[in-house]
Amino acid sequence: MAGQQFQYDDSGNTFFYFLTSFVGLIVIPATYYFWPRDQNAEQLRLKSLRRVHGRCLWYRLRLMKSQQSIIPTLKKAGLLFGWLVFILLAYKVSKLDREYQEYNPYEVLNLDPEASLSEIKKQYHVLSLKYHPDRGGDEATFMRIAKAYAALTNPQSRANWINYGNPDGPGATSFGIALPAWIVDQKNSMLVLLVYGLAFMVILPVVVGTWWYRSIRYSGDQILINTTQLFMHFMYKTPNMNMKRLTMVLTAAFEFDPRSNKEATIRPTDNIVVPQLIRELGNINVKKKEPPFCYPYSLKARVLVLAHLARMDVSEELEEDQRFVTRKSPALLQEMINVGCQLTMMANSRGGFHAPRLVTIENCMKLTQMIVQGLQESKSPLLQLPHFEEEHLRFCISKKYKVRTLQDLVSLKDSDRRSMLRFLGEEKYDEVMAVLGSLPHITMDTKLQVLDDEDSNNITAGSIVTVTVTLTRKRMVEVFEKEQESSPCPGEETGNAEEAQGDANKAKTKVWQNKNKGAKKTAKSKKKKLTKKKATPAPIKAKQANGNVAGNEVAAGASAAAPKEEDDDASDRASESDEGEANKDSGSEREEDSDKQSDKQSDTEADEIAGDDEEEWEALQQSIQRRERALLETKSKVTHPVYSLYFPEEKQEWWWLYIADRRDQTLVSMPYHVCTLKDTEEVELKFPAPSKTGNYQYSVILRSDSYMGLDLIKPLKLEVHEAKAILDHPQWDIPDTEDEDEEPEESDGIEDSEEEDEDND
């Protein structure tokens, strides 16, 4: 059996192959993931957003960051250096000599593989005269020539060459290790052991341990576990939480504590600047001694959030800290909503404590909108637009326009809107209209059904109800265009403006007059009907009062009507006899027609049932395919950039969708965070139907996490019926005959055993 030989790479050729592969495995993926994206594309994107978002804080910070940052340059330099090393190693490997070549005696003797034996001997004679050591030739070359000659002339050597590739027969298997020999040299043993011990016993455990202890402190949403526990404690303690209390709980998060998060900072100047802000803000519960609200980091974060909502200017020292707090707040509020949903599910399943009220969860959503827009809850949504200040709102809320929301501003005519916003110049007005046109306009359609049920439209007690909500997003500018298309053109109007207004007023009065006339007519007709109904018994009273006169009139009428009635009776009898004969003749035909009609009706009913079954089956298949696509597809969360004047980071439009019982202030379905709404999105909300039958009034609510005043509420009526009785399946019906057949056998056995006992006695 052939032996095995392990040898280190003395020449270093194998080590270069290993090193080239190792560097390639690092450089190629690193280039894909870390190469800076095209800066021109980012600049073009920012340029396209400049008209609408040019005044936003995040836009200005992004421009400054792209101009001042040298990180992309460093990334490019590092990756280019790696590629340079990789190319040099590849070039070095390509120039290495081939050490492992297949042995070919014909190549050694410089012969053609089809050479004859005489040609082989002749060539060997020529080469031996040239390379024989006695004639001054190279001994090693002569040994290779002799070995090749033996491999081609000696039968045993030729067989070994054909079978094993070596004239000497099978040799030892050698394995080359891609490490240079100096690594295992005895002189360098201590140095190598020191490097190995430092790398695998110190550096690697420290890196892995640091990563592990840092990662276990955070949840999947990169929120500190301690913060989640803090939110759960206070939401369990205070189920009904107002906005003031909610702000205190938010700013008590451990993300703002320098001991838990290195990004948070406490500066020495905070002892001077923060009290000044507290005096300007007023009452913010500074004397609250409940921990952690009384801690310095919590108080500072609360002051910065309230100053942000009041749009107050802060010092340069606190400006960076304020941006950090506002940047972290939306994710923390989303975690608070998740905690509230978890407590609600626990309360519904286990009981024993009060779930957070609906107002608490909705306040979390409202506070997110307020922080993104930098507005207080009581402020007008119009202040989200550029160039709008508090003193300008009096033009909007005047009796002439009564504009209080963004929707009211959109619904105005262009001339009225321009007249109302006369305090703005042309450029500012165009900017306001560009921003207003970019805001979202959402339409919401709902469909109520019970999936995986025979009658999907019948909601029974305890069934799982599925509400399919289709959201469609459009821009406000499309609403402008529709209004302009529906409004009449100026060329079509005739007359002066005053005449047109007069005509409109006349038309309006005529319409209202017509409506009143119609109402009067209906009232008069009702009165007439009532008088007619009441007047019917009057002749009887007249007969009784007038005596003979009325009786004579009635008698004359009766005598005059008698011959007419006799003629009518005779004609009716004749027609009845004719109809009876016709009915006798066509009786069989009618029976056939009735049979055909009944068959047709049964066929149509069967077709309708089959059609309903097919529709339900198609709907079920579509829902299954929709779920599979939702599981397989990973949609991008980049939707539309939010217009926010005071938020320090670019934010995308996201929404919350849920079903609530506003009368009981409870959640019916957990809020679904819609993060992929670009144009249209279909969302399924599921919840168990109430256990009691009756009519229920719920609300499907869509709330923005970025804009104030754009929420949608749609009523949802639910009619719950009793659940159908469970029918026994035929396979579980055991016929009585089997029991009867089994009973005699058992009784016979008992009787036989009794007879045997008597015999034994």
Side-chain angles (χ1 to χ4, degrees):
M1 182 177 178
Q4 295 180 351
Q5 294 180 356
F6 293 90
Q7 60 181 3
Y8 289 93
D9 184 19
D10 295 330
S11 61
N13 295 341
T14 312
F15 180 71
F16 279 108
Y17 283 101
F18 166 75
L19 192 60
T20 305
S21 303
F22 183 76
V23 173
L25 289 175
I26 294 176
V27 170
I28 295 173
T31 304
Y32 179 78
Y33 286 106
F34 297 110
W35 184 264
R37 300 294 180 249
D38 189 6
Q39 296 296 319
N40 294 328
E42 180 66 15
Q43 293 294 333
L44 290 175
R45 189 183 77 88
L46 292 176
K47 188 176 180 180
S48 64
L49 297 175
R50 183 175 182 178
R51 181 171 179 265
V52 176
H53 301 272
R55 302 183 65 86
C56 296
L57 176 61
W58 68 264
Y59 185 87
R60 290 183 274 117
L61 293 176
R62 180 67 61 84
L63 284 179
M64 294 171 58
K65 185 178 179 181
S66 62
Q67 293 173 0
Q68 298 176 358
S69 178
I70 61 171
I71 294 177
T73 306
L74 295 177
K75 286 182 178 180
K76 287 183 178 180
L79 292 173
L80 290 175
F81 177 76
W83 275 102
L84 181 62
V85 172
F86 178 72
I87 292 171
L88 292 175
L89 289 173
Y91 178 77
K92 177 70 175 177
V93 168
S94 65
K95 295 297 182 181
L96 294 177
D97 296 332
R98 294 180 60 190
E99 295 185 357
Y100 306 102
Q101 296 180 354
E102 184 180 358
Y103 182 74
N104 190 351
Y106 290 102
E107 291 183 359
V108 176
L109 298 175
N110 296 325
L111 289 173
D112 189 71
E114 298 178 356
S116 61
L117 184 60
S118 59
E119 292 176 351
I120 293 171
K121 292 180 179 180
K122 183 179 179 180
Q123 182 68 12
Y124 172 70
H125 181 68
V126 172
L127 293 176
S128 62
L129 293 175
K130 183 177 180 180
Y131 294 103
H132 198 280
D134 296 341
R135 295 180 178 271
D138 187 12
E139 183 178 0
T141 305
F142 179 75
M143 292 299 294
R144 288 199 300 271
I145 293 171
K147 185 178 180 179
Y149 176 73
L152 296 177
T153 56
N154 189 354
Q156 184 65 32
S157 300
R158 188 176 182 88
N160 289 335
W161 171 63
I162 293 173
N163 294 328
Y164 305 106
N166 189 2
D168 299 332
T173 304
S174 62
F175 295 92
I177 300 176
L179 291 175
W182 60 266
I183 290 181
V184 293
D185 193 356
Q186 189 175 3
K187 298 178 182 179
N188 303 325
S189 59
M190 293 302 296
L191 180 62
V192 172
L193 287 176
L194 181 63
V195 172
Y196 269 85
L198 185 65
F200 293 101
M201 298 180 66
V202 178
I203 297 176
L204 185 61
V206 168
V207 171
V208 174
T210 304
W211 169 82
W212 173 252
Y213 285 110
R214 184 176 296 176
S215 62
I216 61 174
R217 296 170 58 238
Y218 292 88
S219 63
D221 297 328
Q222 296 302 310
I223 303 296
L224 287 170
I225 300 295
N226 293 334
T227 300
T228 304
Q229 294 174 352
L230 177 76
F231 290 164
M232 186 167 290
H233 168 73
F234 283 106
M235 294 195 81
Y236 175 81
K237 183 180 178 180
T238 314
N240 194 357
M241 199 178 297
N242 58 15
M243 195 67 73
K244 194 172 185 179
R245 175 79 173 180
L246 186 64
T247 306
M248 295 173 64
V249 174
L250 169 66
T251 53
F254 288 95
E255 272 77 2
F256 306 135
D257 188 357
R259 295 172 296 179
S260 302
N261 188 4
K262 294 182 180 179
E263 296 181 13
T265 55
I266 294 292
R267 308 176 191 275
T269 56
D270 293 343
N271 297 326
I272 301 173
V273 182
V274 173
Q276 293 178 357
L277 282 177
I278 292 174
R279 287 192 294 270
E280 293 179 10
L281 288 170
N283 184 19
I284 60 170
N285 291 340
V286 180
K287 298 181 180 180
K288 190 82 172 177
K289 299 301 181 182
E290 182 182 2
F293 305 138
C294 59
Y295 294 163
Y297 81 89
S298 177
L299 182 61
K300 178 183 177 181
R302 194 189 324 157
V303 169
L304 293 178
V305 168
L306 294 176
H308 172 72
L309 296 180
R311 294 187 175 182
M312 294 174 55
D313 295 332
V314 296
S315 62
E316 296 181 357
E317 299 172 350
L318 290 178
E319 190 174 5
E320 185 178 353
D321 297 340
Q322 188 183 43
R323 292 173 184 175
F324 167 73
V325 172
T326 54
R327 193 184 304 115
K328 285 282 185 182
S329 295
L332 294 173
L333 287 167
Q334 176 61 37
E335 183 68 16
M336 199 178 295
I337 293 171
N338 295 336
V339 169
C341 295
Q342 293 175 8
L343 291 175
T344 302
M345 290 188 291
M346 290 171 61
N348 294 337
S349 59
R350 302 179 186 176
F353 63 92
H354 295 289
R357 304 288 290 174
L358 178 63
V359 66
T360 302
I361 297 175
E362 289 185 340
N363 281 340
C364 293
M365 300 177 182
K366 292 178 182 178
L367 186 56
T368 308
Q369 301 173 358
M370 294 160 54
I371 290 176
V372 172
Q373 294 298 331
L375 274 179
Q376 296 175 348
E377 185 181 11
S378 59
K379 298 298 181 180
S380 172
L382 297 174
L383 295 176
Q384 299 173 105
L385 300 174
H387 310 297
F388 268 78
E389 301 295 339
E390 289 283 348
E391 60 269 15
H392 298 150
L393 295 178
R394 59 188 178 86
F395 298 103
C396 302
I397 62 176
S398 61
K399 294 182 179 180
K400 183 178 180 181
Y401 301 108
K402 296 180 180 180
V403 174
R404 298 182 182 275
T405 62
L406 297 172
Q407 291 83 353
D408 296 340
L409 185 59
V410 171
S411 61
L412 279 181
K413 293 182 180 180
D414 189 36
S415 58
D416 294 340
R417 192 185 302 113
R418 188 68 191 91
S419 175
M420 184 186 70
L421 302 179
R422 58 185 179 275
F423 57 88
L424 298 175
E426 289 296 333
E427 295 182 359
K428 293 183 178 180
Y429 178 78
D430 293 340
E431 185 179 350
V432 168
M433 298 312 298
V435 172
L436 187 62
S438 67
L439 297 181
H441 180 266
I442 308 295
T443 56
M444 182 170 58
D445 297 326
T446 58
K447 182 181 179 182
L448 188 67
Q449 57 184 346
V450 180
L451 297 178
D452 303 334
D453 198 358
E454 294 179 356
D455 189 1
S456 60
N457 297 322
N458 185 23
I459 300 173
T460 58
S463 61
I464 302 299
V465 182
T466 302
V467 180
T468 305
V469 183
T470 304
L471 303 175
T472 305
R473 184 198 184 276
K474 295 181 180 179
R475 296 186 303 163
M476 289 285 190
V477 68
E478 299 179 11
V479 179
F480 294 153
E481 293 175 354
K482 288 182 180 179
E483 290 182 356
Q484 290 175 359
E485 290 175 359
S486 60
S487 62
C489 298
E492 295 177 358
E493 297 179 356
T494 56
N496 298 327
E498 296 178 357
E499 294 178 358
Q501 291 179 357
D503 295 338
N505 294 330
K506 289 179 182 178
K508 288 181 180 177
T509 53
K510 288 180 180 178
V511 171
W512 285 110
Q513 287 174 0
N514 291 334
K515 289 183 179 179
N516 293 331
K517 287 179 181 178
K520 291 178 180 178
K521 287 180 180 178
T522 53
K524 288 180 180 179
S525 62
K526 288 181 180 179
K527 288 181 180 179
K528 286 181 181 179
K529 290 180 180 178
L530 293 173
T531 53
K532 287 179 181 178
K533 289 180 180 179
K534 291 179 180 179
T536 49
I540 300 172
K541 293 181 180 179
K543 292 176 190 176
Q544 294 176 356
N546 294 333
N548 295 330
V549 177
N552 294 332
E553 290 178 356
V554 173
S559 61
K564 291 182 180 180
E565 290 178 356
E566 292 178 357
D567 296 338
D568 294 337
D569 293 338
S571 61
D572 292 337
R573 290 170 186 172
S575 61
E576 287 176 0
S577 61
D578 295 336
E579 288 177 359
E581 293 176 357
N583 291 333
K584 290 178 183 179
D585 295 335
S586 61
S588 59
E589 295 178 357
R590 288 184 178 179
E591 291 178 357
E592 293 177 358
D593 294 338
S594 62
D595 294 338
K596 291 180 180 178
Q597 290 177 359
S598 62
D599 294 338
K600 288 180 180 179
Q601 290 178 357
S602 60
D603 294 338
T604 54
E605 290 177 356
D607 294 338
E608 290 177 357
I609 293 171
D612 295 339
D613 294 339
E614 290 178 357
E615 290 178 358
E616 291 179 0
W617 176 254
E618 290 178 357
L620 180 61
Q621 293 297 321
Q622 289 177 359
S623 64
I624 293 173
Q625 292 175 1
R626 196 184 307 115
R627 294 174 196 167
E628 292 178 352
R629 286 197 301 268
L631 291 174
L632 296 176
E633 293 180 1
T634 54
K635 294 184 178 179
S636 174
K637 293 186 177 182
V638 179
T639 55
H640 301 275
V642 174
Y643 183 84
S644 53
L645 289 170
Y646 296 93
F647 196 69
E649 189 177 45
E650 182 179 4
K651 192 181 180 308
Q652 303 297 320
E653 285 182 12
W654 292 348
W655 306 82
W656 286 294
L657 182 65
Y658 59 98
I659 302 173
D661 187 351
R662 303 189 70 84
R663 187 183 65 179
D664 296 339
Q665 285 292 305
T666 55
L667 279 173
V668 178
S669 72
M670 297 301 107
Y672 181 84
H673 207 190
V674 183
C675 303
T676 57
L677 177 58
K678 288 186 177 180
D679 298 320
T680 58
E681 187 74 16
E682 194 172 85
V683 181
E684 289 185 354
L685 301 177
K686 296 186 178 182
F687 62 93
S691 58
K692 296 182 180 180
T693 60
N695 295 326
Y696 295 86
Q697 185 73 29
Y698 294 151
S699 299
V700 182
I701 304 173
L702 179 71
R703 289 193 183 276
S704 173
D705 71 341
S706 306
Y707 294 108
M708 298 175 63
L710 296 182
D711 302 335
L712 289 179
I713 300 177
K714 190 171 184 178
L716 181 68
K717 295 181 180 179
L718 197 69
E719 186 177 357
V720 181
H721 304 279
E722 291 185 1
K724 296 180 180 179
I726 300 175
L727 301 176
D728 294 334
H729 199 273
Q731 68 179 358
W732 304 114
D733 294 340
I734 301 174
D736 297 336
T737 55
E738 295 180 1
D739 298 337
E740 293 176 356
D741 293 341
E742 292 175 358
E743 288 176 359
E745 294 177 359
E746 295 176 357
S747 61
D748 293 342
I750 295 171
E751 291 175 359
D752 294 340
S753 63
E754 291 177 356
E755 291 176 0
E756 290 175 1
D757 293 337
E758 291 176 359
D759 294 339
N760 293 329
D761 294 335

